Amino acid sequence: MSNENTQDNAAVSYWSKFTSWASNAWKNNKLAIASSAGAALLVSSLAFVSLTGSDNQDTEQAEGQSIEQTVETVTAPVIKVDEENNAVLVADETDAEPAPVAEEIDTVIDSPEEVLDLISSLGLSDVFADEVERLNSDNINVASQAAKDIGHDLANGISVAEDDSLANTFFHASYDMNANVQAAHSIGYQALHGLGMDSADLDLAEEMLNEANNNGHKLAAAHLDYLYKIK
């Protein structure tokens, strides 16, 4: 029992000394201990903030990249209106195929081949057999004169019903081939009197009659004198 008491007393003595030392150390070194503890706490806090901030930054960057990719892949719709002013959503115009360009149709008769087609369509190939033969000539002057002669017959009702409008078509075809002087005079005369057209065209008449007169047509001067009296 004495040994046990001795050991208990020794333990109590040691504990008393430790608590006494700790108390004295705290009293004498309050500032140093508090500073050390504060520094340790600050370091721990900074490390935690750094780790969480890095995670947040990575998350924000990933979200930002995702948004940018989404913006890049999304194409803004194109909105137009129809004939009734209703909004219509149209697909991206950059992907739309260009509208086909309509092929222009030549409606002007200004070549021997086109004159021949016109004569055939009118059923007058036999009536103007001589002119058809000349229209097949390789000489453009011969073909042009043939077209002009057909116009003359139509304008005067020779071998065919009189038709000033159709005559005008052949006169223009002849003139377009090689600036035929006789065709120029005939166009000017018709324009002066409004033959084969809705009304007289004095500007066209003056232009064509002057050209015919300048190239030696004998009747052009008299028609020009009349033109200047009424213009």
Side-chain angles (χ1 to χ4, degrees), residues 24-46:
N24 291 331
W26 170 250
K27 291 179 181 179
N28 296 328
N29 298 283
K30 285 181 180 181
L31 182 59
I33 294 172
S35 298
S36 298
L41 179 61
L42 178 60
V43 170
S44 299
S45 299
L46 290 175

Side-chain angles (χ1 to χ4, degrees), residues 164-165 167-169 171-173 175-176 180-214 220 223-224 227-228 230-231:
D164 286 315
S165 178
N168 189 269
T169 298
F171 288 144
H172 276 280
Y175 179 79
D176 288 340
N180 185 289
V181 176
Q182 293 181 13
H185 171 264
S186 295
I187 293 171
Y189 180 83
Q190 284 193 317
L192 176 62
H193 299 284
L195 300 174
M197 55 187 69
D198 295 334
S199 61
D201 187 341
L202 299 185
D203 290 335
L204 177 61
E206 182 177 7
E207 178 186 352
M208 291 291 100
L209 289 173
N210 266 315
E211 182 170 345
N213 185 55
N214 293 337
H223 296 310
L224 280 171
L227 170 65
Y228 292 135
I230 66 173
K231 187 175 181 182

Side-chain angles (χ1 to χ4, degrees), residues 27-104:
K27 291 179 181 179
N28 296 328
N29 298 283
K30 285 181 180 181
L31 182 59
I33 294 172
S35 298
S36 298
L41 179 61
L42 178 60
V43 170
S44 299
S45 299
L46 290 175
F48 175 77
V49 170
S50 176
L51 290 174
T52 56
S54 177
D55 291 341
N56 291 337
Q57 183 176 2
D58 292 341
T59 302
E60 291 175 356
Q61 183 175 2
E63 292 177 351
Q65 290 176 348
S66 176
I67 293 173
E68 289 177 359
Q69 291 174 354
T70 302
V71 171
E72 290 177 357
T73 55
V74 174
T75 303
V78 179
I79 299 177
K80 294 185 177 180
V81 294
D82 59 16
E83 296 179 354
E84 298 179 354
N85 206 33
N86 297 318
V88 179
L89 185 63
V90 184
D92 184 7
E93 291 186 339
T94 57
D95 297 332
E97 296 182 359
V101 179
E103 183 179 354
E104 294 184 3

Side-chain angles (χ1 to χ4, degrees), residues 8-9 11 20 27 34 37 53 64-65 77 87 105 108 115 126 143 155 173 183 189 200 203 207 224:
D8 291 338
N9 291 333
S20 177
K27 291 179 181 179
Q65 290 176 348
I105 301 176
V108 178
V115 172
D126 292 336
Y189 180 83
D203 290 335
E207 178 186 352
L224 280 171

Side-chain angles (χ1 to χ4, degrees), residues 108-116 135 140 173 176-177:
V108 178
I109 299 174
D110 55 4
S111 69
E113 294 77 15
E114 290 172 326
V115 172
L116 287 169
L135 282 164
I140 191 64
D176 288 340
M177 287 185 206

